[in-house]
Amino acid sequence: MGLQLHRQDEASSALDPLMLAMGIAADSLRLVGPDRVEIVTLTRGRICLQPAELNRGEQLARTLGCESPLDHRMFVPGHTLWTGERDGLEVQVRSALRQVVAR
């Protein structure tokens, strides 16, 4: 997975982390289906996907291997941010606030 780059000089190697992140984002979109994603936020260290339908966010997150949820109940509307890693890059997927069942 990810984008393979050919290092030709110092200037092109400085872009490698961003180009790698772009490749991983493109691979992730292909995996979950680009029509299911509304927003992609990208940095050199992470990508964040927001589904077109927030109630499908957990499903997309699990498809991408994001297994760690962080519930944001103080935001309006509340949401859950699922995190994981793909090819050394942090991946975050926003979803509707999950309903945690107390045991």
Side-chain angles (χ1 to χ4, degrees), residues 21 24-25 28-29 32 37-43 45-51 54 56-70 72 79-86 88-95:
I24 294 169
S28 297
L29 285 172
V32 300
V37 177
E38 183 71 25
I39 299 171
V40 177
T41 306
L42 177 70
T43 69
R46 79 183 51 85
I47 61 171
C48 183
L49 304 177
Q50 179 171 315
L54 285 180
R56 299 196 183 250
E58 183 176 351
Q59 180 184 16
L60 271 63
R62 293 196 183 276
T63 299
L64 295 172
C66 299
E67 299 288 333
S68 299
L70 179 59
H72 295 279
H79 66 274
T80 298
L81 190 65
W82 292 87
T83 60
E85 187 176 304
R86 294 181 60 79
L89 187 72
E90 180 182 348
V91 176
Q92 303 172 346
V93 179
R94 189 172 180 205
S95 75

